[in-house]
Amino acid sequence: MIEKALRRIPLTKLMDLKVDYAFKQMFGSEKNKHITVVFLNAILNRTGRNTIQEVAFMKQEFGGEYKDDKQSRLDILVKTQDQQMINIEIQLSNQHDMFKRTLFYWAQLYTSQLQKGMGYHKLLTTITINICNFTVFPQSAYYHSTFYLYEDKTLKRLVIQDDALEVHFIEMNKFLEQWHRGVLKPLDDILARWLLLLGMVDARKKKVYEKIYHELEELAMKDEHLLQAFNVWEELSLSQEDVIAYQSRLKYILDEEAKLDDVKHMAEQKGMQKGMQKGMQKGMQKGMQKGREEGKKEGKKEGKNEAKEEIANDLLRNNMDIDFISKITGLSMERIEEIKKGLIQNNDDQLR
């Protein structure tokens, strides 16, 4: 019974499995391979003869073959017995770059298989699974979305057998909202059971959903793999070494979220202050009410742009990606490139 599995540890001591360190220890470990296999079959809906029976964990770093290449580190990467490559990524925070990051990882992983003299027909099917603790598709009610390559008009898949590209997005917030409304039936849905396991602890809110725990308690009596996962989870949460590493990683993630919030707040404040100052000056010059109104509007716009550029400067100095900076500030990638060139030029001048 699950009560025995958790008899040594309070629920509040359990790690949040959505934190990448804990997730990788649970699902990316050789000793827990059987749990990984069950979890993947649930996500990919593999049943019968189509099930994944064995996985081999692969090295997680690739890229960086040349000096200026971007190097990538995947959360979990496995190869199945039928020669499919599967990358699983867990994202606690929304970095606003999921789509491009996903395609970049998939492309790197797909092309990295090709060695000199190797034919293209030997490239393996590559699957990417993204488990996100935030909304990815606001217009969709589905919490599990799967993408392939389709023709635009007929919607026919480019490849039926051995699809080169298969991408999954699982949105945990949508899943939990539907579970709370009672529209899901975890007893009949294996994936729902495993997602409840991921959703039971919320480290950001410092909360444990006991209602989820009680349902998992009943489910574990009928699902030995779920019970095994609870035992692993408990052992992980009792390991002092793992707890220290987990807490360090969680702190880093929360600190990065706070920095991002500070950046957004700073942009709003700077834009408002500069906008008011310039707006009043221009409004005074143009005179009367119309001048004030027009001046405020124009001043706010200019002030916001200046504030955005200052923030872009700060982020560039911290080596943030141009695409990420563009999403945060709203500046065009071309303008950010110009700012970057200016920073490089200033640095060169100082060195001289």
Side-chain angles (χ1 to χ4, degrees):
M1 291 177 63
I2 199 169
E3 290 176 353
K4 293 182 180 180
L6 298 176
R7 67 185 182 278
R8 293 177 294 167
I9 185 170
L11 296 182
T12 54
K13 297 294 184 181
L14 288 170
M15 294 180 182
D16 185 342
L17 293 174
K18 297 184 295 300
V19 175
D20 52 11
Y21 177 82
F23 183 82
K24 284 186 268 190
Q25 296 302 112
M26 170 74 87
F27 297 102
S29 170
E30 187 71 28
K31 65 180 180 180
N32 303 327
K33 185 187 291 187
H34 59 290
I35 293 175
T36 308
V37 168
V38 175
F39 186 52
L40 286 173
N41 279 322
I43 293 174
L44 302 176
N45 195 26
R46 300 285 178 85
T47 57
R49 297 174 61 184
N50 195 35
T51 56
I52 296 170
Q53 298 170 8
E54 178 64 33
V55 294
F57 291 100
M58 313 293 290
K59 72 172 186 176
Q60 297 160 302
E61 290 186 358
F62 58 86
E65 296 177 17
Y66 299 96
K67 180 181 176 182
D68 296 326
D69 279 359
K70 184 176 179 66
Q71 195 168 45
S72 303
R73 182 169 181 80
L74 306 177
D75 283 349
I76 298 174
L77 175 61
V78 300
K79 183 189 285 188
T80 67
Q81 83 280 353
D82 54 355
Q83 301 299 295
Q84 291 186 328
M85 302 286 281
I86 305 177
N87 167 220
I88 315 173
E89 296 292 313
I90 186 84
Q91 295 291 329
L92 185 67
S93 302
N94 187 0
Q95 300 297 319
H96 305 283
D97 58 2
M98 276 306 302
F99 299 117
K100 290 187 177 180
R101 179 192 298 210
T102 295
L103 290 176
F104 176 78
Y105 281 180
W106 174 87
Q108 285 278 75
L109 184 55
Y110 190 64
T111 57
S112 66
Q113 304 170 39
L114 197 63
Q115 304 297 320
K116 187 175 181 180
M118 176 179 165
Y120 291 106
H121 67 282
K122 292 186 177 180
L123 287 170
L124 306 178
T125 297
T126 304
I127 301 170
T128 297
I129 299 168
N130 299 296
I131 303 173
C132 305
N133 197 44
F134 48 85
T135 299
V136 181
F137 306 105
Q139 306 304 320
S140 173
Y142 298 109
Y143 66 84
H144 184 187
S145 305
T146 308
F147 296 87
Y148 302 94
L149 291 172
Y150 284 89
E151 200 283 324
D152 191 32
K153 297 181 179 62
T154 65
L155 298 182
K156 182 178 179 181
R157 282 199 1 214
L158 183 63
V159 182
I160 301 301
Q161 297 295 326
D162 299 325
D163 283 287
L165 175 64
E166 182 178 335
V167 177
H168 296 254
F169 286 93
I170 294 174
E171 299 167 86
M172 287 298 300
N173 55 344
K174 288 182 183 177
F175 165 77
L176 289 172
E177 188 273 332
Q178 291 180 29
W179 179 81
H180 281 296
R181 287 196 289 114
V183 298
L184 302 178
K185 297 180 179 179
L187 184 62
D188 303 319
D189 186 339
I190 298 176
L191 178 57
R193 298 175 209 168
W194 289 94
L195 295 184
L196 282 176
L197 197 75
L198 297 183
M200 192 180 104
V201 177
D202 189 331
R204 187 188 283 111
K205 296 179 180 178
K206 297 181 179 179
K207 183 174 182 179
V208 177
Y209 294 97
E210 291 197 17
K211 186 178 178 183
I212 293 179
Y213 166 72
H214 291 307
E215 176 148 359
L216 286 171
E217 185 178 19
E218 294 181 10
L219 291 168
M221 295 179 185
K222 303 173 183 178
D223 188 334
E224 63 175 317
H225 298 296
L226 193 62
L227 183 57
Q228 290 169 359
F230 259 102
N231 281 313
V232 172
W233 193 8
E234 180 195 39
E235 291 172 8
L236 182 63
S237 301
L238 282 170
S239 165
Q240 186 176 3
E241 182 180 351
D242 286 317
V243 168
I244 291 172
Y246 163 79
Q247 290 175 343
S248 175
R249 179 58 181 165
L250 176 60
K251 183 179 184 302
Y252 174 82
I253 292 172
L254 297 180
D255 285 348
E256 289 300 301
E257 285 185 359
K259 286 180 185 177
L260 187 58
D261 288 338
D262 287 344
V263 166
K264 291 179 179 179
H265 181 70
M266 184 170 63
E268 293 173 357
Q269 292 298 312
K270 284 186 177 181
M272 185 69 72
Q273 291 171 5
K274 291 190 176 183
M276 289 296 291
Q277 290 171 0
K278 292 194 174 186
M280 289 300 293
Q281 289 172 0
K282 292 190 177 184
M284 295 270 304
Q285 291 170 0
K286 292 182 178 180
M288 304 305 292
Q289 187 63 30
K290 183 178 179 181
R292 290 193 184 93
E293 292 175 358
E294 292 178 355
K296 284 180 182 178
K297 289 179 182 178
E298 188 174 349
K300 283 183 180 179
K301 183 178 179 181
E302 291 182 11
K304 285 182 179 178
N305 283 335
E306 287 186 15
K308 289 176 181 179
E309 292 186 2
E310 286 184 24
I311 291 164
N313 265 295
D314 292 339
L315 294 176
L316 285 167
R317 290 191 186 97
N318 285 285
N319 298 318
M320 302 298 281
D321 290 338
I322 289 177
D323 182 57
F324 172 74
I325 296 172
S326 178
K327 287 186 174 70
I328 292 300
T329 63
L331 295 173
S332 68
M333 296 181 72
E334 291 77 10
R335 178 56 188 146
I336 298 170
E337 288 281 8
E338 292 174 3
I339 296 170
K340 184 177 181 180
K341 289 177 181 177
L343 284 174
I344 294 171
Q345 183 63 48
N346 286 339
N347 290 336
D348 289 343
D349 291 343
Q350 290 174 5
L351 290 172
R352 290 173 191 160

